[in-house]
Amino acid sequence: MIPPAEARKHALPPIAPPNARLLILGSLPGDASLAAREYYAHPQNAFWRLLGEVTGLPLATLAYPARIAAIEAAGIALWDTIAHAERPGSLDSAIARATDADLPALVASLPMLRAVGLNGRTAHVRGTKALATTRLALIALPSSSAAHTMAYAAKRDAWLALKPWLATPPGA
């Protein structure tokens, strides 16, 4: 049986500034993000608020182009672990027949990259498998999704582990 066209989802292009020291990987954008063509567009997703805590910038209050400019300036790249998959709705648990994103190629294109934050269980499992042989620190993060029912304070505390990876690298 061929799935409905709306069930086949494709990742957004990576945001990969050449100065990136930190890459944050999700699984596959949800329907709100795909419709808006913006990472973490669902208003209940805490991603921009959490990343704002990490960077010290008011990312959640900025328009999307300003958010992207701010994270690029901070040395942060974004992408997903899945290039495309079948998924009715937005839940990771509904992902089927997934094709991996070419994470090794992205990582190879970012010479200053030091760490990868893995946003949620699916990103952690897939990202760890794809990047296990790299020199990069792989940091498991609780999902920023509202579907992951964990107190915001606990999510924030875990996400703050990313902060040291944004410090200016030695010799820079």
Side-chain angles (χ1 to χ4, degrees):
M1 180 174 154
I2 298 173
E6 66 272 6
R8 190 81 184 157
K9 311 288 172 71
H10 297 270
L12 299 172
I15 294 169
N19 68 325
R21 295 181 302 282
L22 172 65
L23 167 63
I24 301 176
L25 295 172
S27 54
L28 184 67
D31 289 346
S33 293
L34 291 172
R37 305 286 304 152
E38 297 178 356
Y39 281 95
Y40 303 99
H42 195 287
Q44 291 179 339
N45 191 302
F47 179 84
W48 294 110
R49 190 171 159 209
L50 290 164
L51 196 54
E53 301 258 13
V54 172
T55 62
L57 300 169
L59 297 174
T61 65
L62 300 175
Y64 187 75
R67 288 176 181 170
I68 299 308
I71 67 167
E72 286 180 334
I76 300 171
L78 297 179
W79 205 24
D80 289 297
T81 58
I82 298 171
H84 51 87
E86 294 173 11
R87 182 183 64 195
S90 296
L91 296 177
D92 282 0
S93 60
I95 292 172
R97 289 177 275 294
T99 300
D100 293 330
D102 192 352
L103 298 179
L106 178 65
V107 164
S109 75
L110 300 171
M112 295 176 66
L113 193 63
R114 299 163 58 198
V116 179
L118 302 157
N119 184 3
R121 183 181 175 283
T122 301
H124 179 256
V125 169
R126 298 181 83 91
T128 299
K129 181 180 173 187
L131 301 173
T133 62
T134 69
R135 59 174 170 54
L136 302 169
L138 303 177
I139 304 158
L141 301 168
S143 175
S144 61
S145 171
H148 181 66
T149 56
M150 172 189 250
Y152 177 81
K155 287 184 184 187
R156 179 198 61 229
D157 291 348
W159 277 68
L160 287 174
L162 301 176
K163 197 170 194 158
W165 297 102
L166 293 175
T168 303

